[in-house]
Amino acid sequence: MPIIVNLDVMMAKRKMSLNELSERVGLTLSNLSILKTGKAKAIRFSTLEAICDVLDCQPGDILEYSNEDGEFENTD
């Protein structure tokens, strides 16, 4: 999948556990775990906003795009 989820990286930088993030964001542990492991098929903007607010980061700190070759492709 070309979208890479770096939630675990941001959590480690903020020294925050999955339990704490779950409580502060208002999501279940299982839903956050699915997102953290990259198994999620979608994320609501409201969820992404809440995670970014709690972790004090930008969406790009959590989500990353990589094409099939593992390199960024500029389409401009």
Side-chain angles (χ1 to χ4, degrees), residues 23-34:
E23 289 174 10
R24 293 181 62 183
V25 171
L27 288 175
T28 65
L29 279 173
S30 60
N31 282 339
L32 269 179
S33 181
I34 288 168

Side-chain angles (χ1 to χ4, degrees), residues 19-53:
N19 285 333
E20 184 180 354
L21 185 61
S22 170
E23 289 174 10
R24 293 181 62 183
V25 171
L27 288 175
T28 65
L29 279 173
S30 60
N31 282 339
L32 269 179
S33 181
I34 288 168
L35 180 60
K36 185 179 139 189
T37 58
K39 295 179 181 176
K41 300 288 183 193
I43 184 171
R44 293 175 190 245
F45 282 153
S46 58
T47 300
L48 185 58
E49 178 183 358
I51 291 170
C52 287
D53 185 49

Side-chain angles (χ1 to χ4, degrees), residues 3-4 11 17 20 41 48 56 58 61 64 72-73:
I3 301 296
I4 300 165
M11 289 171 53
S17 70
E20 184 180 354
K41 300 288 183 193
L48 185 58
D56 190 27
Q58 294 294 314
D61 296 327
E64 177 183 341
F72 178 73
E73 182 177 308

